[in-house]
């Protein structure tokens, strides 16, 4: 990696119910070994089979803010459960988290038309607790990246460039077109983007290789990539919507 990235906030532990048996401490250890300064834990919400229950997310408010020298943020990857844009965690839980990623997953949400998916995302963005829209370039849930970008900018929400979607082993189809549109709009309108590893377990924490390559093609200024600065990301979170 030519650029040093300080944070990764889309990662999954054993509490997500699949893909990993790593504990939060295992994750922090791996992050520290990779020089990641700030790690966000974002386990799947309750509608994912075996995902975290509301009580798990509620208790994260008491979890250690620093582990092994890594600044910890505790969030969730909440499921978008219907076309009204509702999530699978109540506001009372969402409001205590450091950040909230909202994502469409099968089979929890049946993919709709491009128009339907876009409208649903726009409704999700009206939720004041949502910080990031997860993997919105998923080809199984086609959406209009232009409309998503302008709404995200208006609502002070980030669209992530999900590295696992871009991986050749990814299972969200070819997401490059929509991701490139988002990166180009970010560069043009000078609005930040967020890379995420979506690492299930420790293996891919801080791995943004594919996202970085695509961002290079969009010639996005490095300063717009929020992963560059833990302080910059915290500042983004502090800004009122
Ligand atoms: Zn997801
Ligand atoms: Zn995820």
């Amino acid at each position: 990696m030519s650029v040093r990235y300080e944070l990764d906030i889309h990662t999954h532990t054993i509490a997500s119910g699949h893909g990993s048996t790593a504990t939060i401490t295992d994750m922090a250890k791996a992050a520290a070994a990779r020089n990641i300064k700030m790690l966000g834990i974002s386990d799947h919400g309750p509608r994912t089979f075996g995902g975290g229950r509301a009580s798990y997310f509620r208790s994260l408010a008491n979890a250690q803010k620093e582990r092994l020298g890594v600044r910890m943020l505790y969030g969730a990857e909440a499921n978008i459960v219907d076309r009204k844009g509702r999530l699978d965690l109540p506001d009372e839980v969402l409001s205590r988290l450091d950040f909230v990623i909202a994502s469409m997953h099968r089979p929890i949400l049946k993919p709709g038309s491009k128009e339907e998916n876009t409208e649903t995302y726009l409704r999700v963005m009206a939720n004041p607790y949502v910080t990031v829209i997860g993997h919105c370039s998923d080809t199984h849930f086609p959406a209009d990246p232009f409309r998503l970008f302008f709404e995200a900018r208006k609502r002070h929400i980030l669209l992530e460039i999900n590295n696992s979607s871009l991986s050749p082993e990814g299972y969200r189809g070819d997401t490059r077109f929509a991701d490139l549109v988002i990166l180009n709009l970010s560069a043009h309108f000078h609005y930040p983007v967020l890379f995420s590893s979506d690492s299930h377990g420790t293996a891919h924490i801080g791995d943004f290789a594919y996202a970085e390559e695509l961002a290079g093609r969009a010639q996005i200024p490095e300063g717009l990539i929020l992963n560059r600065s833990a302080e910059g990301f915290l500042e983004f979170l502090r800004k009122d919507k």
Side-chain angles (χ1 to χ4, degrees):
M1 247 185 261
S2 53
V3 180
R4 176 157 151 40
Y5 297 107
E6 292 192 343
L7 66 130
D8 185 2
I9 66 149
H10 189 157
T11 70
H12 296 272
T13 74
I14 188 172
S16 278
H18 65 266
S20 170
T21 55
T23 63
I24 294 177
T25 303
D26 293 335
M27 303 291 276
K29 205 168 162 183
R34 280 167 220 163
N35 251 329
I36 292 285
K37 234 169 128 171
M38 193 160 79
L39 177 67
I41 302 292
S42 56
D43 285 306
H44 288 298
R47 287 289 289 274
T48 298
F49 185 70
R53 319 300 297 179
S55 56
Y56 162 69
F57 293 101
R58 217 173 269 129
S59 58
L60 289 174
N62 306 315
Q64 290 163 262
K65 302 287 180 219
E66 194 175 310
R67 289 178 201 242
L68 305 158
V70 178
R71 168 84 157 87
M72 301 297 296
L73 295 179
Y74 300 100
E77 184 181 13
N79 287 293
I80 299 168
V81 297
D82 60 24
R83 293 287 156 199
K84 291 188 172 134
R86 284 186 288 210
L87 304 179
D88 62 347
L89 286 168
D91 284 356
E92 157 261 323
V93 171
L94 299 177
S95 67
R96 295 172 201 223
L97 296 169
D98 292 320
F99 66 94
V100 175
I101 302 171
S103 302
M104 290 186 185
H105 294 120
R106 292 173 301 166
I108 296 151
L109 189 69
K110 233 175 96 195
S113 67
K114 191 172 181 176
E115 182 64 22
E116 284 167 333
N117 295 329
T118 304
E119 289 296 335
T120 304
Y121 277 128
L122 298 193
R123 284 182 203 116
V124 171
M125 287 195 231
N127 182 327
Y129 301 113
V130 170
T131 325
V132 178
I133 298 294
H135 45 72
C136 66
S137 54
D138 186 344
T139 60
H140 300 108
F141 292 98
D144 180 339
F146 292 91
R147 290 181 66 199
L148 297 191
F149 174 83
F150 289 113
E151 189 71 9
R153 187 172 74 136
K154 187 174 117 192
R155 303 267 191 193
H156 195 66
I157 285 174
L158 295 165
L159 300 180
E160 70 170 10
I161 304 297
N162 186 299
N163 198 68
S164 85
S165 298
L166 288 163
S167 155
E169 292 97 56
Y171 49 88
R172 298 190 185 111
D174 189 346
T175 67
R176 285 173 297 181
F177 174 76
D179 282 334
L180 257 179
V181 170
I182 292 165
L183 287 162
N184 277 298
L185 289 168
S186 292
H188 187 76
F189 291 97
H190 213 75
Y191 188 74
V193 281
L194 188 71
F195 291 171
S196 72
S197 70
D198 202 356
S199 186
H200 283 65
T202 59
H204 300 289
I205 293 172
D207 181 0
F208 306 130
Y210 300 110
E212 186 179 36
E213 196 244 303
L214 208 64
R217 275 203 266 158
Q219 297 185 318
I220 188 162
E222 283 175 7
L224 288 180
I225 300 165
L226 274 186
N227 309 71
R228 294 251 309 162
S229 160
E231 204 33 65
F233 182 70
L234 292 173
E235 196 188 314
F236 183 92
L237 290 185
R238 279 193 295 265
K239 275 190 196 156
D240 279 335
K241 289 201 178 191

